[in-house]
Amino acid sequence: MKHYELERVLPEEIEKRSFELITQELGEKTLDPENELVIKRVIHTTADFEYAKNLIFSPHAVTKGLEALKEGIQIITDTNMGKAGINKAALKKLNCTVDCFMADEDVAEYAKAHDTTRACASMDKASRLSGDCIFAVGNAPTALVRLYELIQEGKIHPRLIIGVPVGFVNVVQSKEMIMSLSGIPYIVAKGRKGGSNVAAAIVNALLYQVK
Amino acid sequence: MKHYELERVLPEEIEKRSFELITQELGEKTLDPENELVIKRVIHTTADFEYAKNLIFSPHAVTKGLEALKEGIQIITDTNMGKAGINKAALKKLNCTVDCFMADEDVAEYAKAHDTTRACASMDKASRLSGDCIFAVGNAPTALVRLYELIQEGKIHPRLIIGVPVGFVNVVQSKEMIMSLSGIPYIVAKGRKGGSNVAAAIVNALLYQVK
């Protein structure tokens, strides 16, 4: 039986050690200190160093996100998976909440009636309930496109958009649309990559930074 | 206002179109037909073509996984996020179930008492309840290491191990350990990459293939 060399790290030290290894591997690459913990946590979640250059932050998006979280804001995701990945204890400490409307019956009906995606319909539902929230979109570019439209129509004014859908159809464009907005803070993963795990990692990276 | 060119694809056609684009981009690269739909769904979930070479399948792991699913098997994940990403309608159709013990109180107590991770303790819990299941590990290498030990001790005999934890500490080694097992079907993402989203995508790719 082959012996496997495992690095001996205490359970509570694994994350710290991972961040050390990430920092080491980033080497000389300098990250904006404001964005550093978000970038590193996304790399921690994906083991994909491309995010060191793919993540685009509008000016002081992190600071603005932290301000919103301190107020105890609602976070809206486009997947239950993204919702599941957000740290509930950290949310609760700040009196923040997280909702995902994707699996709601009225959203399915609305999507069918309007020949649109459930992701898109769930953003419409969010806009009716509250526009003053943080959106964390990790899956559906159609959700991001709908947010863009709702903002242009003056129906919502999100405190922060985390725009990191993943995929092949309209994903790149949907992110470009969000990055064209002025006055709306955003954190976007430029290109095709992203995911519900990335969206949750960004939310968690913000939650953990609130003092 | 700049006009953004969006590809016009009907909501129900988006996935099909994405798979076409993936197939196109894979080009001449030939995939084993048995594994093709798993590989493509993981690329669909991550937009990361590295998985075309990173995913390692033990002989007929897919066929064996499909057989287990047809019997209405229990799937055990190491994160609630992975659990959330598995298609519940598809599961139900096959009388399969999915459980994650990570957030259970007894798991937290066991981990503390034994100075181990909750992920590891949740695999112990799984082994006490049932060893004859599919494990889908997308996050914690310690869970994979514990599965390896439990198998070596003859305590469990999983029908399939989906071993795709992500990260920096013992991740690569934990996967090598699973790939060293004989007689246990596995699907492993070699290297550091993986994630709960990848684990869920592999389970879904299998669920969607059951005839």
Side-chain angles (χ1 to χ4, degrees):
Chain A
M1 194 167 110
K2 195 181 154 188
H3 180 71
Y4 289 91
E5 276 298 337
L6 294 172
E7 191 175 350
R8 293 180 68 87
V9 183
L10 290 171
E12 62 273 24
E13 300 282 329
I14 294 175
E15 185 170 303
K16 189 172 154 246
R17 177 73 185 131
S18 300
F19 275 76
E20 282 169 8
L21 290 166
I22 292 166
T23 303
Q24 202 174 303
E25 191 147 332
L26 283 166
E28 298 293 298
K29 189 167 174 59
T30 51
L31 304 175
D32 184 331
E34 186 183 338
N35 306 334
E36 185 177 348
L37 291 177
V38 170
I39 296 168
K40 286 186 176 172
R41 187 161 292 278
V42 170
I43 295 173
H44 175 253
T45 291
T46 58
D48 189 340
F49 283 86
E50 269 193 38
Y51 286 103
K53 53 178 201 294
N54 288 358
L55 286 173
I56 311 296
F57 299 76
S58 68
H60 302 298
V62 168
T63 302
K64 287 168 187 169
L66 296 180
E67 280 166 11
L69 290 172
K70 271 181 209 165
E71 293 171 22
I73 206 163
Q74 183 185 27
I75 300 166
I76 291 174
T77 68
D78 68 328
T79 59
N80 276 308
M81 200 179 174
K83 181 179 165 182
I86 295 173
N87 187 316
K88 301 303 176 302
L91 266 185
K92 203 178 161 190
K93 215 184 278 180
L94 298 170
N95 288 315
C96 292
T97 54
V98 59
D99 290 287
C100 172
F101 303 127
M102 275 294 281
D104 294 3
E105 215 164 293
D106 58 337
V107 164
E109 283 164 16
Y110 186 97
K112 211 169 174 187
H114 292 76
D115 201 17
T116 185
T117 65
R118 282 188 297 139
C120 183
S122 78
M123 294 297 119
D124 274 306
K125 179 165 179 173
S127 77
R128 289 192 301 272
L129 295 176
S130 146
D132 176 42
C133 56
I134 292 178
F135 287 95
V137 175
N139 187 59
T142 54
L144 226 44
V145 172
R146 189 65 191 131
L147 285 185
Y148 174 85
E149 292 167 350
L150 288 165
I151 291 164
Q152 296 287 8
E153 292 164 14
K155 289 187 180 153
I156 55 170
H157 192 90
R159 299 290 296 274
L160 174 67
I161 296 178
I162 296 167
V164 296
V166 60
F168 298 87
V169 177
N170 293 330
V171 167
V172 172
Q173 297 94 310
S174 72
K175 293 168 179 174
E176 297 288 337
M177 289 166 84
I178 296 301
M179 289 189 283
S180 78
L181 294 167
S182 57
I184 305 287
Y186 61 78
I187 302 173
V188 162
K190 212 172 148 75
R192 284 169 169 178
K193 285 186 179 176
S196 296
N197 54 337
V198 174
I202 294 173
V203 172
N204 288 336
L206 296 177
L207 286 171
Y208 300 157
Q209 281 180 73
V210 177
K211 294 278 182 292
Chain B
M1 193 167 115
K2 194 180 155 189
H3 179 71
Y4 289 91
E5 278 296 339
L6 293 173
E7 190 175 352
R8 293 181 67 87
V9 183
L10 289 171
E12 62 273 25
E13 300 283 331
I14 294 175
E15 185 169 303
K16 189 172 155 247
R17 178 73 185 130
S18 300
F19 274 78
E20 282 169 9
L21 291 166
I22 292 166
T23 303
Q24 203 174 301
E25 190 147 332
L26 283 167
E28 298 294 298
K29 188 168 175 59
T30 51
L31 303 175
D32 183 330
E34 186 183 337
N35 305 334
E36 185 177 348
L37 292 177
V38 170
I39 296 168
K40 287 185 177 172
R41 186 160 294 278
V42 170
I43 295 173
H44 175 254
T45 291
T46 58
D48 189 340
F49 283 86
E50 270 194 37
Y51 286 103
K53 55 176 200 296
N54 288 358
L55 286 174
I56 311 296
F57 298 76
S58 68
H60 301 298
V62 168
T63 303
K64 287 169 188 170
L66 296 181
E67 281 166 12
L69 290 172
K70 270 182 208 164
E71 293 170 23
I73 206 163
Q74 183 186 26
I75 299 165
I76 292 174
T77 68
D78 68 327
T79 59
N80 276 306
M81 199 178 177
K83 181 179 165 182
I86 294 173
N87 187 315
K88 302 303 176 301
L91 265 187
K92 202 177 162 191
K93 214 184 279 179
L94 298 170
N95 288 315
C96 292
T97 54
V98 59
D99 290 287
C100 172
F101 304 127
M102 273 296 280
D104 294 3
E105 215 165 294
D106 58 337
V107 164
E109 282 164 17
Y110 186 96
K112 209 168 175 188
H114 292 77
D115 201 18
T116 187
T117 65
R118 281 189 298 140
C120 183
S122 78
M123 294 297 119
D124 274 306
K125 180 165 179 175
S127 77
R128 288 192 301 272
L129 296 175
S130 145
D132 177 42
C133 56
I134 293 178
F135 287 95
V137 175
N139 188 59
T142 55
L144 226 44
V145 171
R146 189 65 190 132
L147 286 184
Y148 174 85
E149 292 168 348
L150 288 165
I151 290 163
Q152 297 286 10
E153 293 164 13
K155 288 185 181 155
I156 54 169
H157 193 92
R159 298 291 295 275
L160 173 67
I161 296 178
I162 297 168
V164 295
V166 61
F168 297 87
V169 177
N170 294 330
V171 167
V172 172
Q173 297 96 309
S174 72
K175 293 168 178 175
E176 297 288 336
M177 288 165 83
I178 296 301
M179 289 189 282
S180 77
L181 294 167
S182 56
I184 305 286
Y186 62 78
I187 302 174
V188 162
K190 212 173 148 73
R192 284 171 171 176
K193 285 185 179 175
S196 295
N197 54 337
V198 174
I202 293 173
V203 172
N204 288 337
L206 296 176
L207 287 170
Y208 300 157
Q209 280 180 74
V210 177
K211 293 277 179 289

